[in-house]
């Protein structure tokens, strides 16, 4: 009788498993950590995609340890970053340190774990977009008019102390076109745009990135209407210069074609050779003709 007890237990377990499978219940699928981001190199957040829940309530936990350590920690904050996320505040964030992060999924049928994610906060910085984007048309005297674009760094980023250095990129497009024109602004927070189409309404955005990290999202669009006479004077002047240059070139080409090589011979006649013993005097017979072409 005792010999049949293990067989009975195995049978019951297999029966329970079969019933659960028939009801669509199974251990949870493998979760995936798809992104970790720091907005300012002082805090960071990691997000994961849950796997299949196996038809049962599934609990998720994020655990991590720092490279070189053996003690495992659990996520300090599951709420700030939104659903399926873990937020690390300043107290739990260290730069030049590698975090080894894993997400674990558990239900009544079993558990599964994600592949480990190796995170160095220095290299996952993706700042927020720049703020306070402003557009202004400038018409200085005796200079070409231009669009003056200004903005401020993201609120969370400390750029004054040099803790984080940002570079900026601007893009603009006429409202009725699909293509953006992009300009790299370096570290400055202002930029001039000279070539604009009068009468067009332009949309403008700006974004930023750190030395090590990723571009931010584009800022919200700002727009400005370019007057119809915005570059009229400048355009008229350049058209006049172009026409005048073309006329001068045509006159010169016509004169050269009309006179041919004779004009060159008249302006620059051959220089008589030196009178030295043995010099062939017959070569000087053509000299009067050259002189004659210079006289009226």
């Amino acid at each position: 009788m005792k010999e049949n007890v293990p067989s009975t237990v195995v049978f019951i377990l297999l029966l329970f498993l079969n019933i659960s499978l028939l009801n669509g219940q199974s251990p949870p699928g493998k979760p995936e950590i798809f992104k970790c981001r720091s907005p300012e190199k002082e805090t960071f957040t990691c997000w994961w995609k849950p796997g299949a829940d196996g038809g049962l309530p599934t609990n998720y936990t994020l655990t991590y340890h720092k490279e070189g350590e053996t003690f495992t920690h659990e996520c300090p904050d599951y709420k700030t970053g939104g659903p399926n996320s873990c937020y690390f505040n300043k107290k739990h964030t260290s730069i030049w340190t590698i975090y080894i992060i894993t997400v674990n999924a558990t239900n009544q049928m079993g558990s599964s774990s994600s592949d480990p994610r190796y995170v160095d906060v220095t290299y996952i910085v993706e700042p927020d977009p720049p703020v306070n984007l402003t557009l202004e048309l400038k018409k200085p005297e005796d200079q070409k008019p231009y669009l003056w674009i200004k903005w401020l760094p993201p609120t969370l980023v400390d750029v004054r102390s040099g803790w984080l250095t940002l570079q900026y990129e601007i893009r603009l497009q006429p409202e009725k076109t699909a293509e953006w024109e992009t300009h790299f602004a370096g570290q400055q927070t202002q930029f001039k745009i000279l070539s604009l189409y009068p009468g067009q309404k332009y949309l403008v955005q700006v974004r930023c990135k750190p030395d090590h990290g990723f571009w931010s999202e584009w800022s919200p669009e700002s727009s400005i209407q370019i007057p119809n006479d915005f570059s009229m004077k400048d355009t008229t002047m350049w058209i006049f210069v172009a026409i005048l240059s073309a006329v001068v070139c045509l006159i010169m080409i016509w004169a050269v074609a009309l006179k041919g090589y004779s004009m060159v011979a008249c302006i620059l006649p051959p220089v008589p050779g030196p009178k030295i013993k043995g010099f062939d005097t017959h070569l000087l017979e053509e000299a009067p003709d050259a002189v004659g072409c210079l006289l009226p």
Side-chain angles (χ1 to χ4, degrees):
M1 182 69 179
K2 293 181 179 180
E3 295 178 354
N4 293 330
V5 172
S7 300
T8 304
V9 172
V10 171
F11 175 78
I12 293 173
L13 290 174
L14 290 174
L15 181 61
F16 176 76
L17 179 61
N18 288 332
I19 293 173
S20 298
L21 292 174
L22 290 174
N23 291 332
Q25 297 175 347
S26 64
K30 183 178 179 180
E32 175 190 358
I33 303 173
F34 68 92
K35 185 175 183 179
C36 291
R37 170 185 177 257
S38 172
E40 69 315 64
K41 207 163 65 173
E42 296 181 24
T43 65
F44 73 100
T45 304
C46 288
W47 292 267
W48 68 84
K49 295 178 181 178
D53 61 10
L56 292 168
T58 302
N59 182 51
Y60 293 91
T61 58
L62 183 145
T63 57
Y64 70 95
H65 68 276
K66 298 178 182 179
E67 190 176 46
E69 296 181 355
T70 56
F71 186 76
T72 300
H73 309 267
E74 188 176 351
C75 169
D77 182 350
Y78 288 108
K79 296 181 179 180
T80 301
N84 303 320
S85 72
C86 178
Y87 173 73
F88 295 76
N89 59 22
K90 294 182 180 180
K91 181 180 177 181
H92 294 90
T93 301
S94 302
I95 63 170
W96 308 117
T97 300
I98 296 178
Y99 291 73
I100 303 168
I101 301 173
T102 305
V103 173
N104 310 288
T106 306
N107 65 16
Q108 293 180 353
M109 296 296 294
S111 62
S112 64
S113 298
S114 68
D115 293 329
R117 179 93 172 206
Y118 295 81
V119 174
D120 185 336
V121 178
T122 306
Y123 295 99
I124 61 168
V125 178
E126 181 185 317
D128 294 329
V131 296
N132 292 352
L133 177 62
T134 58
L135 311 175
E136 185 179 357
L137 295 176
K138 298 282 189 178
K139 293 185 177 181
E141 293 184 4
D142 301 325
Q143 294 184 27
K144 189 174 182 179
Y146 59 87
L147 173 61
W148 187 240
I149 305 174
K150 297 188 294 183
W151 61 89
L152 292 177
T155 306
L156 296 177
V157 176
D158 180 11
V159 294
R160 293 184 179 180
S161 67
W163 176 249
L164 201 63
T165 302
L166 296 179
Q167 298 179 343
Y168 300 92
E169 191 173 60
I170 302 160
R171 70 176 185 178
L172 71 159
Q173 69 168 173
E175 189 177 38
K176 297 180 180 180
T177 65
E179 294 185 0
W180 290 89
E181 176 185 327
T182 304
H183 300 271
F184 181 68
Q187 296 181 19
Q188 62 183 345
T189 55
Q190 53 193 15
F191 199 79
K192 292 181 180 180
I193 301 293
L194 298 174
S195 300
L196 297 169
Y197 294 105
Q200 292 278 0
K201 182 178 181 181
Y202 277 84
L203 306 176
V204 182
Q205 292 178 296
V206 62
R207 64 177 181 174
C208 59
K209 74 179 292 292
D211 294 335
H212 304 287
F214 305 93
W215 284 106
S216 71
E217 298 291 334
W218 289 102
S219 68
E221 291 180 353
S222 292
S223 63
I224 190 166
Q225 180 69 42
I226 309 301
N228 289 323
D229 62 345
F230 183 65
S231 60
M232 186 62 67
K233 294 181 180 179
D234 185 73
T235 303
T236 303
M237 181 188 70
W238 284 109
I239 291 174
F240 175 78
V241 171
I243 293 174
L244 182 61
S245 300
V247 170
V248 171
C249 290
L250 288 173
I251 292 174
M252 293 179 64
I253 294 172
W254 174 79
V256 171
L258 183 64
K259 297 293 184 179
Y261 290 103
S262 61
M263 179 181 291
V264 177
C266 290
I267 297 174
L268 299 174
V271 178
K275 297 181 179 180
I276 59 176
K277 187 176 181 180
F279 184 77
D280 189 359
T281 57
H282 293 288
L283 296 176
L284 298 176
E285 294 178 358
E286 297 178 0
D289 295 334
V291 174
C293 66
L294 294 175
L295 297 175

